[in-house]
Amino acid sequence: MAHLRDCLQAPGGGRVVTPNPEILMASQSDPTLRQCLCEADFCLPDGVGIVWASRFAGQPIAQRLAGSDTIEALLPIYGGSLFLWGGAQGVAADAARRLGQQYPEIQVRGVASGYYEASEETDIIESIKQLQPRLVLLGLGSPKQEQLMQRVYAAYPDAWYMGVGGMLDVLAGGVPRAP
């Protein structure tokens, strides 16, 4: 977490992905997803199946590190700017409001719904470029968030991007976190 925090405070950007076994299997037939996983700066093992597979491959990973655990550990120590993109209409805005109350040192610079028209994507990416957040949380589910991560990072490589799946719904208070 300290290394990730240090990266967020340094110039430049990067990508954080959290593959589980389903994402890893999907990457076998999805070249964009595979490229995103291979090029990520942080690839967190989000699933015990990944840990087991690492042992069979002879490169054991000590433990799983879920993306939701990472977000929950990162937010209290972050203190930077965010852009939230994902969830149903209003979810990102609700998450932004709750994050502002819980972590006043975090500045949420913008939000976008995960349900958008393809024609709106360019405008949202342009908004990210103008708002210049350090961290963009993409809660669109896999593989959509990883595919989007590739496009947004190519357009604005000065931010860090992390796929967070349904975690925006949790941050918004709409659903409890999975056990």
Side-chain angles (χ1 to χ4, degrees), residues 33-111:
L33 177 58
R34 184 172 47 253
Q35 180 181 3
C36 185
L37 296 179
C38 290
E39 293 178 354
D41 299 273
F42 287 85
C43 193
L44 309 177
D46 190 349
V48 71
I50 299 294
V51 175
W52 290 343
S54 73
R55 291 180 189 145
F56 288 117
Q59 297 178 327
I61 297 170
Q63 65 185 39
R64 75 184 268 276
L65 180 57
S68 50
D69 292 335
T70 303
I71 289 298
E72 286 184 343
L74 180 63
L75 290 174
I77 63 171
Y78 174 49
S81 57
L82 282 178
F83 190 98
L84 306 175
W85 189 350
Q89 192 66 36
V91 168
D94 289 345
R97 201 170 10 267
R98 289 191 70 210
L99 287 172
Q101 293 167 350
Q102 194 171 3
Y103 307 107
E105 65 281 1
I106 293 177
Q107 312 112 31
V108 179
R109 294 197 176 161
V111 300

Side-chain angles (χ1 to χ4, degrees), residues 3-24:
H3 181 58
L4 179 55
R5 183 196 61 220
D6 292 346
C7 288
L8 288 167
Q9 293 172 346
R15 291 160 286 185
V16 180
V17 295
T18 58
N20 59 27
E22 293 80 13
I23 292 171
L24 198 57

Side-chain angles (χ1 to χ4, degrees), residues 87-168:
Q89 192 66 36
V91 168
D94 289 345
R97 201 170 10 267
R98 289 191 70 210
L99 287 172
Q101 293 167 350
Q102 194 171 3
Y103 307 107
E105 65 281 1
I106 293 177
Q107 312 112 31
V108 179
R109 294 197 176 161
V111 300
S113 170
Y115 294 88
Y116 59 93
E117 299 294 324
S119 60
E120 297 174 289
E121 185 176 294
T122 302
D123 291 337
I124 298 169
I125 293 172
E126 190 58 38
S127 178
I128 290 170
K129 288 167 61 175
Q130 290 176 1
L131 295 169
Q132 299 181 345
R134 283 299 298 144
L135 178 60
V136 178
L137 301 181
L138 301 166
L140 296 115
S142 187
K144 188 174 181 179
Q145 65 193 15
E146 289 85 8
Q147 294 165 345
L148 179 61
M149 185 184 301
Q150 290 293 89
R151 294 189 299 273
V152 185
Y153 181 76
Y156 183 65
D158 294 329
W160 281 84
Y161 300 89
M162 181 174 182
V164 296
M167 193 61 182
L168 290 184

